């Protein structure tokens, strides 16, 4: 389990950055707070340890910075348009599009 939560400045800064990315693309972040905290927390851990927003749901274990993808991944928009959300269930279609 990750150590980063909504109480941490690093977590909150990343969540705000991801919310901005979602808004600019016409999407929203997952309204399920528990899922959001898990994904953003793991991504915060990757950012702090490796310096980039590596996707926690598509990463290698252990993390392989030369091979793993940065969020948002290249497929995020096609996944959202097809499934209504990205693979990680981080970004979702807006309800009223």
């Amino acid at each position: 389990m990750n150590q980063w939560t909504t109480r941490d400045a690093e977590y909150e800064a990343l969540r705000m950055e991801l919310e901005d990315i979602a808004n600019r693309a016409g999407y929203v972040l997952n309204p399920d707070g528990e899922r959001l905290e898990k994904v953003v927390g793991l991504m915060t851990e990757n950012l702090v340890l490796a310096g980039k927003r590596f996707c926690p749901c598509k990463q290698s274990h252990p993390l392989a910075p030369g091979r793993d993808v940065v969020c948002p991944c290249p497929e995020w928009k096609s996944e959202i348009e097809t499934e209504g959300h990205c693979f990680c269930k981080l970004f979702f279609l807006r309800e009223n599009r």
Side-chain angles (χ1 to χ4, degrees):
M1 190 63 172
N2 76 78
Q3 65 180 348
W4 302 95
T5 68
T6 57
R7 295 181 306 274
D8 297 302
E10 295 89 346
Y11 171 98
E12 195 55 33
L14 179 57
R15 189 200 57 75
M16 290 175 60
E17 181 180 354
L18 293 167
E19 188 169 9
D20 184 54
I21 290 168
N23 286 332
R24 285 183 285 139
Y27 304 133
V28 295
L29 293 181
N30 191 332
D32 177 344
E34 188 174 316
R35 176 68 183 180
L36 183 63
E37 185 170 327
K38 179 178 181 179
V39 175
V40 177
L42 290 168
M43 195 181 303
T44 302
E45 186 172 315
N46 288 342
L47 180 61
V48 170
L49 294 175
K52 293 186 181 176
R53 295 185 314 256
F54 288 105
C55 175
C57 303
K58 294 183 176 181
Q59 80 178 58
S60 305
H61 296 280
L63 185 65
R67 185 177 67 226
D68 290 334
V69 296
V70 173
C71 181
C73 69
E75 303 85 17
W76 75 305
K77 288 185 178 182
S78 64
E79 291 170 352
I80 295 168
E81 295 302 321
T82 302
E83 301 294 325
H85 55 77
C86 68
F87 179 80
C88 299
K89 296 183 180 169
L90 176 60
F91 298 104
F92 277 72
L93 285 173
R94 286 192 190 278
E95 289 291 322
N96 302 342
R97 287 178 23 132

